[in-house]
């Protein structure tokens, strides 16, 4: 399977003779064995298999294998949400006293996770601007910095991360680059090809595509050398909770994802349910088709809004006059998903009036599914941030985040025509 649209349909589950053609739901917390020794070997990581769904499950494994194949990684781990994916990725390699570097223009929930929760457990965070040079970022790396983080396409400011720039700085200091690839999905961008080491997803968005199942995923490229420095003892020194197992030795290129599953998932229990994994797989089968339509409709709406006399500004990296257009061409092939950020003339009051006038477009706290939707980030997803933090995150008071669905574009434009006429 060399083409990614074929992998969307075929990867992950290969039924044997007489088995179900479509991926079954293994709705069981536990699995039966005839030998106590076998169970002991499973616990000691000396055999592969499923014994408790908090760690692994056949349905989840099939979907994890599909996502790993789509991203080009050695392994993946499904989690209960995108936030859980982010948290588990950093807990795998960070301890109290460590530092991470993150771009500031990221999803509001992730910003709060970094700025509040990680700090509360002793992990410091240094925020950087997307436009900072390599030298400026390099100067902020500390001896205790364990990773650099960014979003391929930021939510909701839609800045495109310069992945190669961030990767070069990270690798100079023997630390990994972790990229959230939720909005582009591997259909529009595969960060590993540009130097990223770990990719995370909120699978609740385009991967699911229908707003029916919360979930997240962590994907390991298998390319980072965890033993090249003394920065990652959790992977390179004996693990007392696994009889002295050294994950980098036992699992080689898959050390990170093995540690994430066997330690963080085991202890924190943020596993995705088999039912949700089954629903996610249904979404993944049509991901390539939907991302093509989302990107087409997103560009069409961005062009329409940018020409409307009641719209103050439009941020969409697929527009040629956008400052990130060159990066969008380089990393996304010009396909920038269906999320469009824009501001209406008249500020916050006009933005609220517009949203309340929409009919086809739903006002929901969600983004990136088949139906067109809109929300006001400053008063919803980013409302916990201060005015200064909102500015750093690229969120203006008049900003509307529009998630363009897969409906007929003429119907979507017609809905905005009548709504804009009311302000």
């Amino acid at each position: 399977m060399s083409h990614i649209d074929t992998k969307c349909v075929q990867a992950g589950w290969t039924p044997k003779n007489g088995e179900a053609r479509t991926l079954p739901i293994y709705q069981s917390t536990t699995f039966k064995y005839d030998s106590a020794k076998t169970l002991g070997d499973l616990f000691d990581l000396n055999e592969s298999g499923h014994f408790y769904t908090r760690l692994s499950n056949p349905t989840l494994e099939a979907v994890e294998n599909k996502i790993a194949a789509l991203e080009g990684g050695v392994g993946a781990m499904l989690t209960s949400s995108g936030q859980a994916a982010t948290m588990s990725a950093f807990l795998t390699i960070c301890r109290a006293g460590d530092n991470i570097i993150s771009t500031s223009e990221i999803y509001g929930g992730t910003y709060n996770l970094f700025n509040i929760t990680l700090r509360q457990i002793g992990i410091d965070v240094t925020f950087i601007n997307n436009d900072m040079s390599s030298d400026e970022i390099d100067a902020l790396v500390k001896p205790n910095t364990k990773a650099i983080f960014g979003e391929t396409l930021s939510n909701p400011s839609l800045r495109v991360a310069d992945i190669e720039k961030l990767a070069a700085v990270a690798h100079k200091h023997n630390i990994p680059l972790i990229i959230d690839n939720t909005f582009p999905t591997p259909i529009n961008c595969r960060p590993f090809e540009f130097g990223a080491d770990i990719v995370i997803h909120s699978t609740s968005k385009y991967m699911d595509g229908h707003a029916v199942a919360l979930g997240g995923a962590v994907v390991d490229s298998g390319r980072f050398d965890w033993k090249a420095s003394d920065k990652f003892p959790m992977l390179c020194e004996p693990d007392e909770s696994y009889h002295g197992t050294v994950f980098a030795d036992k699992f080689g290129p898959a050390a990170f994802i093995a540690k994430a599953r066997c330690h963080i998932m085991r202890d924190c229990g943020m596993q995705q349910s088999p039912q949700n994994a089954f629903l996610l797989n249904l979404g993944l089968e049509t991901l390539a088709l939907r991302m093509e339509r989302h990107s087409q409709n997103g560009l069409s709406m961005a062009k329409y809004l940018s020409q409307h006399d009641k719209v103050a500004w439009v941020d969409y990296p697929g527009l040629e006059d956008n400052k990130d257009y060159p990066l969008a061409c380089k990393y996304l092939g010009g396909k920038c998903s269906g999320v469009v950020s824009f501001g209406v003339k008249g500020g916050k009051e006009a933005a609220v009036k517009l949203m309340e006038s929409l009919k086809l477009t739903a006002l929901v706290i969600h983004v990136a599914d088949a139906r067109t939707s809109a929300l006001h980030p400053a008063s919803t997803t980013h409302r916990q941030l201060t005015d200064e933090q909102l500015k750093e995150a690229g969120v203006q008071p008049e900003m509307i985040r529009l998630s363009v669905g897969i409906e007929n574009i003429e119907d979507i434009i017609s809905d905005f025509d009548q709504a804009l006429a009311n302000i």
Side-chain angles (χ1 to χ4, degrees), residues 202-230:
S202 169
T203 63
S204 319
K205 310 304 190 296
Y206 285 124
M207 280 188 164
D208 164 1
H210 303 83
V212 295
L214 286 177
V218 183
V219 192
D220 185 355
S221 71
R223 299 173 185 173
F224 188 79
D225 186 353
W226 302 102
K227 301 179 75 172
S229 69
D230 59 357

Side-chain angles (χ1 to χ4, degrees), residues 93 104 117 133 152 155 176 233 239 243 279 312 359 383 408 410:
I93 56 173
S104 60
T117 306
S133 69
T152 313
N155 176 12
D239 188 325
H243 310 294
L279 294 170
K359 297 177 180 178
R383 70 177 298 124
N408 187 289
E410 293 182 7

Side-chain angles (χ1 to χ4, degrees), residues 206-210 283 286-294:
Y206 285 124
M207 280 188 164
D208 164 1
H210 303 83
T286 61
L287 181 62
L289 294 172
R290 289 185 288 103
M291 290 308 296
E292 185 72 28
R293 181 62 170 259
H294 279 299

